[in-house]
Amino acid sequence: MASASTIYALSSAPGRAGVAVIRVSGPNAPAALAAMVRKPPAHAQAAFRIIRHPDTAAPLDQALVLYFAKPDSETGEDVAEFQVHGGRAVVNAVLDALGSIPDCRLAEPGEFARRAFANGKLDLAEAEGLADLVNAETEAQRVQALAQSSGALSKLYDGWRACLLEGMALAEAAIDFSDETDVSDQAMAQARKSIDGLAENLARHLADGRRGEILREGFRVALLGAPNAGKSSLLNTLARRDAAIVSEEAGTTRDVIEVRLDLGGYPVIVSDTAGLREASGAVEREGIRRSLAAAESADLVLWLVEPGGQSQSPLAESPGESSKVSRETAPLVLTVLTKSDLTKPEQENASAPGLAISTKTGVGLDELIARITAVAAERLATRAGPPLTQTRHRQALETCLADVRTFMAGDPAEPELRAEDLRRAAHALGRITGRVDVEDVLGEIFGRFCIGK
């Protein structure tokens, strides 16, 4: 796909740095490079050059410059790259110089990746993996995103789609030879044989406990308990900063406060919530409602109990606002006995067995972190095959599975309908990688990229 304009952008992070990368892509990239450096490098080579303004020839910086000729570039177009010093004045001067070149303009968010998609350099699933790779904060997220951006998911889905297309071709053949019963029946039998087992593979892939999506978004841990049970103190200790207000006054936490942690390479989101009790006003009632909502959406609940406090699990019935958490979606619950530094042996709450901790002395905190990490690792552990990472993928696969099941349960004597079942299934699967018309999802996907990607 040839693009009329040439785009440029800062592709490294903004702000002062040792090196800043400015990327140019499009038909005028070679001219832009020639206008700003003498003796531009050849294709796939780098050179150290003085960067000059194309109008005045005034020197702007000394930098490493690279050039990649189409189609052997990241975007499939002619691409130039300037690796300049990372001072703000230098970056602005080079960007202003590029803007003075005819038919060169600043790139929009995700435009480099979108041009790569348009030129067949990557498909939609790979593009989403690339966006996740840029945004990865932990080792596990990096590994998952790298696998997807490298085509692991695309290879799996393309294999399933090829199976559907084979079955669809056989079903179409059954239509073409409908006046020859033996040939038509044989073609439909072969179509069913080619699809046999696909429904099971799709169902197994969908029944993954959302591990890929949770890893991408973060493993959620909710801190629940009565007021002054030590939730905010524990949050601050885990975050290693004062993220929440800690006070002896009950009810100081009215809203859900979240911090993101990296535990053992896994992204963990810990939520401090309002204390559960009989609410004294509308604001506190709303805070308790949000606390219970956080518990329902969490992957792990830490039920905090102070000495002599409420030991009842929130999965049974929460004190105060007694809305029960749905057992169908109930998270794992770990009881944590707080303020162990204030507890004497004879005062231990035998009715609430759990892990004893103290944010003041540090007792039990290492073990608590280890348990949270172990639960996250078990939930997000890599299993056979690449995991689902996007809600969009899950919806398309569910549609595909429903159509495959309709095909298998349908009457083989109606080849027109069975061919349509497979066509719909292949279309749903193709939407994940972009093998069909997907204009309606392009903006949503590439709009999540930064300007220079």
Side-chain angles (χ1 to χ4, degrees), residues 202-393:
L202 286 164
R204 187 184 304 113
H205 187 60
L206 284 164
D208 64 347
R210 296 184 62 253
R211 62 185 178 91
E213 292 151 281
I214 293 173
L215 178 55
R216 177 176 174 269
E217 298 165 5
F219 181 84
R220 291 195 166 271
V221 178
L223 307 182
L224 256 65
N228 286 341
K231 300 183 296 299
S232 297
S233 295
L234 179 57
L235 181 80
N236 291 344
T237 300
L238 293 174
R240 298 184 180 181
R241 61 184 175 87
D242 291 334
I245 296 174
V246 176
S247 171
E248 293 182 2
E249 180 183 343
T252 52
T253 302
R254 297 297 183 90
D255 205 349
V256 176
I257 301 173
E258 295 184 344
V259 297
R260 300 185 69 92
L261 306 175
D262 180 347
L263 298 183
Y266 296 102
V268 177
I269 303 172
V270 182
S271 301
D272 182 21
T273 65
L276 302 181
R277 66 174 181 177
E278 290 291 348
S280 59
V283 174
E284 189 171 5
R285 279 197 297 271
E286 175 61 19
I288 292 174
R289 186 196 66 79
R290 295 187 182 190
S291 296
L292 295 171
E296 289 191 3
S297 62
D299 303 297
L300 172 66
V301 169
L302 299 185
W303 180 239
L304 273 59
V305 182
E306 65 176 330
Q310 171 60 250
S311 61
Q312 190 175 22
S313 166
L315 295 189
E317 185 172 303
S318 301
E321 299 288 315
S322 58
S323 171
K324 291 185 179 180
V325 176
S326 169
R327 290 192 177 275
E328 288 73 22
T329 59
L332 179 65
V333 178
L334 174 62
T335 299
V336 179
L337 308 178
T338 61
K339 306 179 183 179
S340 65
D341 55 296
L342 303 179
T343 305
K344 296 179 180 179
E346 63 270 17
Q347 293 176 325
E348 291 182 353
N349 192 344
S351 64
L355 174 62
I357 68 165
S358 170
T359 58
K360 192 171 185 178
T361 66
V363 170
L365 291 176
D366 288 343
E367 185 178 350
L368 176 61
I369 292 173
R371 288 198 189 185
I372 296 173
T373 304
V375 173
E378 172 63 24
R379 180 71 185 273
L380 306 178
T382 302
R383 296 177 177 84
L388 273 165
T389 63
Q390 306 273 345
T391 300
R392 182 181 76 86
H393 300 179

